[in-house]
Amino acid sequence: MAQWIVDYLPTWNIIRISGIAAYLLLFTGVFLGIAQGMPIAKGKPKAAMFKWHTRTTWLAFGLGLVHALTLYIDHYSPFTWSELLLPFTASVHPIGSGLGTLSLYGLVIVLLSTDLRNKLGRKWWFMFHMLSYPVFIGLLFHGMVTGSDSGNVLMRLMYVFTGLSVLGITVLRGMLRERKGPEITIGPSRVQPKSAAEQKWAEVYRLAGAGRQEHLK
C-alpha cells in the first residue's frame, strides 16, 4: 500500500513546489530579520516583523525537509541517504545539491542558536545567526543550479529580485547605523566624576556654609 502511494505521488511536483516555497519563505524570514533590526524599527511593527521572521524561517525549514525526503522517494531520479546527508556526493548536480545540504545544516544551527540564545550569550548567538547569509546564498545557488525550471524567465527574475533585495536592505541597514554614528571620546574627559568621599565632604561644606549664613543673619 505504501509503495503504491509512493509510485503514484506527483513527487516531481512536490519537489519543485516545496523547494521554491522553502526558498521564498527563507527569503521572507531573512528580509524581515534584517528589517526588524534597523534603528527606525520600533514598537509594534518591530514586534510583528520579529514574529513573522521566526515563523517564516521555521516554515522554510519544514518545507526544506519535505523537499529532501521527497527526493529520497522520487521514482524518477531518487537520491540515496548518503547523497542527501553528505554534501557534494550526489550523482546529479553534486555542487548544487551539496550547497542545498550545507544550507539545510546551517539553517538548523541558526534555529537552534535562536532557541538557546539565553544560554549562548549575545556574542555567540550573533555569530551563529550570521550564518543566515551564507544559508540564503547557498539556497539561491542551489535553486539556480539544480532547478529544472531555472531557465524560465520568471524564475530567473525571482532569484535576481530576492538576491538584490537582501543585498539592498543589508546595505541600507549598515548606512542607517553609520549615519547615527557611534559616541567617540578623544582623550581623557575634562569633567571627572566625583568620588563618594568628595561628594560627602562637598555636602558637609555646603551645609556648614548655609548654617554660617543663618548665624550671620
Side-chain angles (χ1 to χ4, degrees):
M1 181 67 179
Q3 187 61 43
W4 181 86
I5 294 175
V6 169
D7 290 339
Y8 284 90
L9 271 179
T11 53
W12 189 249
N13 292 330
I14 295 174
I15 289 169
R16 294 308 302 143
I17 293 172
S18 61
I20 294 171
Y23 172 77
L24 289 175
L25 284 168
L26 182 66
F27 158 71
T28 305
V30 171
F31 189 91
L32 290 176
I34 300 170
Q36 64 92 24
M38 287 187 171
I40 58 176
K42 298 178 181 179
K44 291 184 179 180
K46 180 182 179 71
M49 285 189 288
F50 177 77
K51 179 177 69 176
W52 285 104
H53 157 69
T54 305
R55 288 180 177 179
T56 52
T57 305
W58 273 105
L59 285 173
F61 174 68
L63 284 176
L65 288 179
V66 172
H67 178 75
L69 293 175
T70 311
L71 283 170
Y72 177 74
I73 64 173
D74 180 36
H75 47 78
Y76 175 73
S77 180
F79 279 55
T80 63
W81 283 116
S82 61
E83 289 177 325
L84 289 173
L85 297 176
L86 299 178
F88 312 113
T89 60
S91 57
V92 180
H93 299 301
I95 296 178
S97 299
L99 288 174
T101 301
L102 288 177
S103 297
L104 189 62
Y105 290 158
L107 187 55
V108 171
I109 295 174
V110 171
L111 292 172
L112 288 178
S113 66
T114 301
D115 290 340
L116 300 174
R117 179 175 180 176
N118 293 333
K119 294 183 179 180
L120 290 173
R122 180 172 178 79
K123 179 181 178 181
W124 284 103
W125 166 82
F126 180 77
M127 292 176 61
F128 286 127
H129 212 69
M130 289 300 290
L131 287 174
S132 301
Y133 283 100
V135 165
F136 173 76
I137 295 172
L139 287 182
L140 189 152
F141 282 101
H142 168 74
M144 292 179 64
V145 172
T146 63
S148 59
D149 49 6
S150 297
N152 186 283
V153 176
L154 292 178
M155 293 299 297
R156 289 183 178 180
L157 289 175
M158 180 195 74
Y159 288 124
V160 171
F161 171 77
T162 52
L164 290 179
S165 296
V166 170
L167 176 62
I169 196 170
T170 302
V171 173
L172 179 60
R173 177 173 172 175
M175 290 175 61
L176 289 176
R177 283 189 171 182
E178 187 69 23
R179 183 175 298 178
K180 183 179 179 181
E183 295 181 5
I184 301 175
T185 303
I186 302 176
S189 176
R190 294 182 180 274
V191 180
Q192 299 292 339
K194 294 182 179 180
S195 64
E198 291 176 339
Q199 293 178 358
K200 181 178 179 180
W201 282 110
E203 183 67 17
V204 172
Y205 290 149
R206 186 182 67 79
L207 292 175
R212 186 178 302 172
Q213 290 178 0
E214 287 293 330
H215 178 72
L216 293 176
K217 290 180 181 180

